[in-house]
Amino acid sequence: MSKYIAKAAIRGATAIVNEADQLLEAAIADLGADKEVAFTNTAYYLPTILGFTGKEVSNLGQLRDVVAHCKTLLNEPPGDELWLPYLGETLDSGAATLLAAETIEAVRFVRGQQPEKIDGLQLVGTSAPGGPGYANGPIDDIQLRAWGIQLVDGRMPGFAAIVGCARSNEAAVTLIRELQKRNILVFLSGNVNGRSIIDQLQEEGVEMGYDTYIVPFGRDTISAIYALGFATRSALTFGGMSGGQIRDILLYNKFRVFAFVLALGEVDDLKYAAAAGAINYGFPVIADTVIPQILPTGVTAYEHVVSMPFDDIEGDTDTDKARRMVQRAIEVRGVKIKITDVPIPVPYGSAFEGERIRRADMRVEFGGSKSTAFEYLRMVDSDSIEDGRITVVGPDFSEIKDGGAMNMGMVIEVAGRKMQEDFEPVLERQMHYFVNGASGIQHVGQRDITWIRFSKAAVDKGFGLKNLGDIAHARLHAEFGAIVDKVQVTIYTDPEKFEEWLAKAREAYLNRNVRLAGLIDSNVEEFYSCTLCQSFAPTHVCVISPERLGLCGAYNWLDCKASYQINPTGPNQPIYKGTCIDADKGVWEGSNAFVYANSQQAVDNVSLYSIMDSPMTACGCFECLVMLIPEANGVMVVSREDPSMTPAGMTFSTLAGVAGGGLQSPGIMGVGKYYLTSKKFIAAEGGFKRVVWMSSNLKAIMADELKQVAEREGDPDLIDKIADERSATTVEELLPFLEEKGHPALVMESII
Amino acid sequence: MAVPEVKEKYAGRIQEVTLGAGSRGKTVAIGGESTLPFLHFEGTVANRPAIAIEVSDREPDDWSPLLKEAWGDVMGDPAKWAAKAEELGADVIALSLDSAHPERGNTGADDARKTVRKVLEATTLPLIVYGPGQKDKDNEVLVAAAEEAKGERIAIGNAEEKNYRTIVAAALANDQVVIAKSPMDVNLAKQLNVLIGDMGIPKDRIIMDPTTGALGYGVEYSYSVMERVRLAALGGDATLQQPMVLTVGYEAWRTKEARTNDEVPQEWGDWAQRAILWEANTAITLVNTGANLLVLRHPQSVALVRKAIDRLMAGA
Ligand code: SF4
């Protein structure tokens, strides 16, 4: 906490409490203690006072208690020698400021000085009594409910309380337009040397009022209290709280009302004090002048006070600067913006995902056999990118002849408070689905084997390289808004830049591979569950660890981790491992407890690394089946794509009936094919060396990976020693084959 | 040989939810049981399953002629219809604001307000108000209905995974109950309850609709989903302890067996009897797997179901 702010806030609070005291006493002297006080059409009395103290104030006399309470909240300004954490005192003085401010406005209401008279101000939609020429004053209950519903259901992301006067009229208008564009409600109050943002907007002919979501409260700082009165009533109305439950009210606002304060122009003591009041609600303050910053401490999950001196903001014009300021404010408060449409010239939707573009219909391709294309998504610092910026570096494809090919690299940079480097590959892989959703565009592959085709039809409609960036931007926000705040895309076709970034991307792919290889079960605290398949296999739970992916192959540990961030109530929940019960078989207290609780108490023990003892259940989606062949002292692996007979005397589809349905059947289990390459693959039974038979298509698709496994197992020729449907479809054929090849399983200890 | 002790002791209990307040002549509490349906020897069955009669704000053109016969003229007027439903033994009126559907009249918030007001005045029973099942229109008319009925503690629905926030917000702002509808899946039901709960609405203001099929059209599937919901709830899973409502009438009267008598085999017997039994049978089946509130259509099936519930509750 900055001592400077603490001192200023306490000074400001002391001054306003005294002012409230004097105004109140004068009003009581003039009008009597019984004189009624009320804000416009509200059932919540003086709402901030009601929220903080539970007092239902309806006459002037009752306000004396409030002022007395304010005084107890005031503290001595911190001395010059002592350094203490001042946050508590500052927040208290913030609270005193709010109560005093509301007291003052109440007195002004009684005297007919509120809502404030502003000549020439014509609001479109207002609850201010007295017709044109007045600021709005407090928002009435009807409007509160109408907007409150939108704030609660997410149609309106939040509100911005702007206090002061913008650098220029141009800046003022841009600030407002940028906020409006995002559906953010705008409250206006305050001035700098007598000039208010309300004046600026009035001069520029910006329509204000309920209908345009811009509410001018008044031209002094004190009227900003109406914003907090609104916030307080939201909690009372939608949070089911009652007056006096201030802790709950403040928490409600912190977690559910995405609001922030923009302090424009010089910040005086009163503004510091009012800012401290806003921080109580978890609303951060972003100032366009040089002031001390307050970084995260626990009251808000983010910076409390951010200084963004207007002159230092990047940008050539006030418009540019104002735009960046809004962007920053939104990031600080974590306001989430929804993008629903993908702004491209061709139809977009999952219906187009399966589309294939034939060579004859193709305008141009990137990647494939004649050129190279890559996609590289990386996490960057939020300050280094601009959301929605899409750049193409190098020529487009107009010079390429019909049906030709071109090198292209797409670099997607994302930033977000909840983003983690681990999520890079998860998001990057989504590009396949995202790009495929565009009609007339085909996407295959990933990383540096990406292959994208544009059809003639799509290009005729105006589809260009830049649109790939539009798709990435819109879809990442829409699908991964929980972890992504900003997306910037750069597309490289310039030969030199392309090579430069391809090299960078390849280095990153390599690093990821290394990281993934180092990601092992014993190094993580938590595994993840997947219960997506319970709709048809109610007792099945996939326990997904770094070394064992989900049995459908679609979810690995990182995917689940990201999915949990995105959807904390979804099918992927963290499973804390807890105490290890059996390290060889892969049994933990945590995974057992989770599976028991989520399998309708049907399964109480699961070994992640064993096929013989309590193997994982299977739903039916498994990519491969692993099954014991006792005669061969090993197991066979049958692929879902393999229709042939197996040495077990059954085909895949018959076997699937035995293994599926959420049952635990020792000797047979379903797995994702990449589990075969894991060091933990049936580790309890001796690992990959147990594989005596494997569908030939698996050997082919995973040739490289399997080769590495064979080397790791110290038997480089191992894969050739494994039979497949071409060499054996019965046990009688299998055994001589294994004998002849000298398969290691034959001499291993008995598997049963 | 000693008789083995078969009583279960469950850790969980179903949440009790009360419908109706304010000007309602009676309130209806549902849920609250600490055991599986009607196992009176084992735990308490705090409230009997309640019956709502469905009333539409628009004369239905796709309902079976048998229903039209049974209700007659009142079908053109939701207020009269509700009054008659009360007379014929409903515990709750389920008002469907079907006329708000863009293809069935596209009426708006003001009409909804008027209808709700009229129906509230015509009956003393608690209300459920359903939207037309189209996202934007649901939000429009349910917000209006919730405001109009402030203080009456009505249930509004359906809040679904793709569209729950506005409806829940309206319930929050006006102290109403929400119906959380999920498509026959335990985990989705659970997820929706959690999402809705996260918005801060108290648990005694959520009813869940796990969706059912009619007899012969998937009722066995919904039976087992509901059974799993209930076992999990009683087992202590707090996210599934909401009482369950089911739109039995809607499902049963969609079946060919109930809807029509054209070109059906003779052995199917008397049409009216068949159709009514179809609805009643579906309802009674579901009551046995934990349904707490049934939305029905035909007065005679209401009577049959009521009789069955009387007997099932006899041991209480
Ligand atoms: S098979 Fe795949 S989708 Fe199904 S539960 Fe396992 S990981 Fe989830």
Side-chain angles (χ1 to χ4, degrees), chain A residues 530-534 536 540-542 544 550-555 572 619 621-622:
Chain A
C530 185
T531 49
L532 211 59
C533 289
Q534 287 199 345
F536 55 91
H540 171 66
V541 179
C542 269
I544 298 174
L551 47 85
C552 58
Y555 290 86
N572 303 117
C619 45
C621 309
F622 33 81

Side-chain angles (χ1 to χ4, degrees), chain A residues 145-146 148-149 151-155 237-240 252 256 531-532 534-536 538-539 567 569-571 598 600, chain B residues 139 143 147 150 165-170 172-174 185 187 190-191 194-195 197-200 205 221 228 231:
Chain A
R145 215 169 277 132
I149 287 186
L151 284 168
V152 176
D153 73 19
R155 271 176 289 166
T237 309
F238 295 97
Y252 179 89
R256 294 176 193 264
T531 49
L532 211 59
Q534 287 199 345
S535 47
F536 55 91
T539 58
N567 180 3
T569 58
N598 289 276
Q600 299 181 23
Chain B
N139 290 343
V143 168
E147 277 178 17
K150 193 171 165 91
R165 303 189 65 95
T166 305
I167 296 166
V168 176
L172 272 168
N174 300 289
D185 181 299
N187 287 308
K190 183 168 171 157
Q191 183 176 352
V194 171
L195 290 170
D198 277 352
M199 288 185 69
R205 290 209 261 133
Y221 192 79
R228 285 169 49 205
L231 283 169

Side-chain angles (χ1 to χ4, degrees), chain B residues 261-283:
Chain B
N261 205 31
D262 295 345
E263 293 170 44
V264 308
Q266 200 158 17
E267 12 346 327
W268 282 21
D270 179 66
W271 180 25
Q273 201 183 3
R274 177 174 77 234
I276 289 161
L277 283 175
W278 216 271
E279 182 176 29
N281 240 314
T282 307

Side-chain angles (χ1 to χ4, degrees), chain A residues 612-662:
Chain A
M612 297 309 292
D613 183 6
S614 313
M616 203 182 293
T617 56
C619 45
C621 309
F622 33 81
E623 287 184 296
C624 314
L625 261 176
V626 183
M627 186 176 179
L628 177 70
I629 306 285
E631 298 87 342
N633 201 30
V635 301
M636 67 169 186
V637 182
V638 199
S639 146
R640 176 173 286 275
E641 272 96 55
D642 180 0
S644 51
M645 184 48 77
T646 70
M650 287 181 268
T651 59
F652 181 90
S653 50
T654 321
L655 285 167
V658 181

Side-chain angles (χ1 to χ4, degrees), chain B residues 206-221:
Chain B
I206 308 173
I207 306 178
M208 60 197 281
D209 178 349
T211 306
T212 186
L215 181 65
Y217 294 80
V219 76
E220 62 287 354
Y221 192 79

Side-chain angles (χ1 to χ4, degrees), chain A residues 199 225 315-316 457 555 667 679:
Chain A
D199 303 321
I225 187 63
D316 297 332
Y555 290 86
K679 275 190 199 150

